[in-house]
Amino acid sequence: MIPNSFAKPKEINWPKLYAEELFHITEVMVTDVASPPVAARIYAYANLAPYLIAKEFGGNFDHQDILSQTYLANQNWTLKSPEINSPEFAAIYAMLKVGEAIMPSGYLLKERQTQWIESALKAKIINKKTLQIHLDFASDVASKIMDVAKTDGYLQLSTLTRYTPQQGEGFWYPTPPAYISAVEPEWKTITPFFIENLGDYEAAPMASFDMTEGSLFHTQMMEVYTTTNELNEERKLIANFWDCNPFKVEFSGHMAIGVKKISPGGHWIGITGIAAEKAKLSFAETTYVHTLVGMALHDSFISCWKTKYDTDRIRPETVINQKIDQRWKPLLQTPPFPEYTSGHSVISRTSAVVLTGYFGDNFDFIDSSEIYFGLPERNFTSFLSASEEAAISRLYGGIHFRDSIEEGVKQGQKIGDMIWGKVKK
């Protein structure tokens, strides 16, 4: 082991470089149309590899070790560490190797791995003499991560009972235009990192399905209908900025065309990278905060998805078309899973709480996460204000009722408080 090896080379902007390499994993997720929960799982494991290497090679962290606060605390994380001169190079290569192994189209990262080697040699981050030692070590770390990932329940999902829409009013049913089947109905069986009992993070009961005028459900339904019919340009922009629906489909004649969209977790991973660069974090701290947010996203999606399929609530589009206006369409395309609670509301609040704990209150930033997907950047005065906008965007988009949004925020707040409480010093 080489102590303090993260101090060099000093001229490299490691947070920026880390985010750029991580985005190549995001690109493959978009290609694979990874569901929001699956994307969060990928981010958690992909970022864990660099974090382990940073920890092994003397990275000094400002907060508690992450893994010691998770169910993986008793896992043997001992690494056979050779004397390498660039843990940073090995860490990023290991991240790309996990991405290759964990995604269906991960083979697309092989070219990126080659490019990373070439750019690192050119920048003298490593030299040809020690290259193979770095590659072998990084591959071993990636294999160790994947051995752990294989035990979290993901591989067993295909063996579980398939979801069938319930009969009767008020229950979720596939929505236009593609009528995609329910996504990840058994995600609650995946093992969370931090959450010990999913029941501790249940949302409050939702409004019961009741079409009586003046009932809470009917009032909320009419709010969605009225709001979407009266949108101004700013609200349309907000809704589209936070859309993050990887399942969006457009039709040209009889041809269905998938529209590239980042996942909700991918948006918050992007924000994490932006904050890391603005704060000029060390490489070690960059791995830390990305891993923490990745794991927080993973846990919050598990909690939210349990609520979704336990409640199995109808989407606004379905009930409005059935009861009010059969020609009405929401601004955003309705994603293919039950309505309650709002996933964006849950995971955005969890991420914002963790990032606020790490970077502090009122950390302003320019969110450029969606430029790649054709949307302009937006300014935010804090992570919490960004999460509030993400939450209300679901009402503007016409895909969630208000109680789903508000209770989703509370659900995410509780999870975020728990996670940050475990790691803060």
Side-chain angles (χ1 to χ4, degrees), residues 35-37 183-188 300-310 337 341 343 411:
S35 71
V183 170
E184 309 299 352
E186 296 297 333
W187 199 254
K188 64 184 177 183
S300 53
F301 269 116
I302 294 172
S303 176
C304 178
W305 248 241
K306 179 181 187 300
T307 303
K308 282 184 178 295
Y309 285 96
D310 284 352
F337 33 81
T341 48
Q411 191 174 9

Side-chain angles (χ1 to χ4, degrees), residues 173-215:
Y173 196 80
T175 50
Y179 297 93
I180 299 172
S181 299
V183 170
E184 309 299 352
E186 296 297 333
W187 199 254
K188 64 184 177 183
T189 64
I190 301 296
T191 305
F193 291 107
F194 297 99
I195 295 176
E196 296 176 15
N197 180 8
L198 286 172
D200 293 339
Y201 300 92
E202 290 286 1
M206 63 186 182
S208 300
F209 183 80
D210 182 354
M211 291 303 296
T212 305
E213 188 171 352
S215 71

Side-chain angles (χ1 to χ4, degrees), residues 350-390:
T350 297
S351 301
V353 169
V354 169
L355 288 170
T356 299
Y358 187 93
F359 290 103
D361 295 322
N362 303 318
F363 185 100
D364 63 283
F365 62 97
I366 300 172
D367 184 358
S368 56
S369 303
E370 296 286 348
I371 288 179
Y372 177 87
F373 300 95
L375 292 168
E377 60 190 24
R378 288 184 69 79
N379 298 334
F380 294 101
T381 57
S382 69
F383 300 112
L384 291 175
S385 66
S387 74
E388 289 165 1
E389 184 178 281

Side-chain angles (χ1 to χ4, degrees), residues 288-423:
Y288 185 98
V289 71
H290 277 86
T291 303
L292 185 61
V293 171
M295 288 184 169
L297 286 166
H298 178 68
D299 280 24
S300 53
F301 269 116
I302 294 172
S303 176
C304 178
W305 248 241
K306 179 181 187 300
T307 303
K308 282 184 178 295
Y309 285 96
D310 284 352
T311 55
D312 207 20
R313 188 204 238 178
I314 196 169
R315 285 280 183 170
E317 183 168 13
T318 306
V319 68
I320 290 173
N321 286 166
Q322 289 176 350
K323 306 292 186 179
I324 304 296
D325 183 350
Q326 64 181 8
R327 292 177 295 181
W328 179 85
K329 292 182 180 180
L331 175 66
L332 301 182
Q333 196 168 108
T334 303
F337 33 81
E339 191 271 343
Y340 190 87
T341 48
S342 158
H344 241 57
S345 301
V346 178
I347 69 99
S348 293
R349 193 60 165 203
T350 297
S351 301
V353 169
V354 169
L355 288 170
T356 299
Y358 187 93
F359 290 103
D361 295 322
N362 303 318
F363 185 100
D364 63 283
F365 62 97
I366 300 172
D367 184 358
S368 56
S369 303
E370 296 286 348
I371 288 179
Y372 177 87
F373 300 95
L375 292 168
E377 60 190 24
R378 288 184 69 79
N379 298 334
F380 294 101
T381 57
S382 69
F383 300 112
L384 291 175
S385 66
S387 74
E388 289 165 1
E389 184 178 281
I392 199 62
S393 75
R394 315 322 266 168
L395 175 62
Y396 300 159
I399 60 175
H400 277 293
F401 302 109
R402 184 173 289 275
D403 63 347
S404 178
I405 295 166
E406 294 179 348
E407 294 304 325
V409 169
K410 294 176 184 177
Q411 191 174 9
Q413 179 80 41
K414 193 172 182 180
I415 296 168
D417 285 341
M418 177 272 294
I419 293 173
W420 181 246
K422 285 179 177 286
V423 300

Side-chain angles (χ1 to χ4, degrees), residues 77-97:
W77 293 106
T78 302
L79 304 178
K80 295 180 181 178
S81 306
E83 290 194 0
I84 59 178
N85 62 344
S86 180
E88 300 94 341
F89 169 80
I92 289 176
Y93 190 79
M95 178 173 70
L96 294 172
K97 291 294 287 185

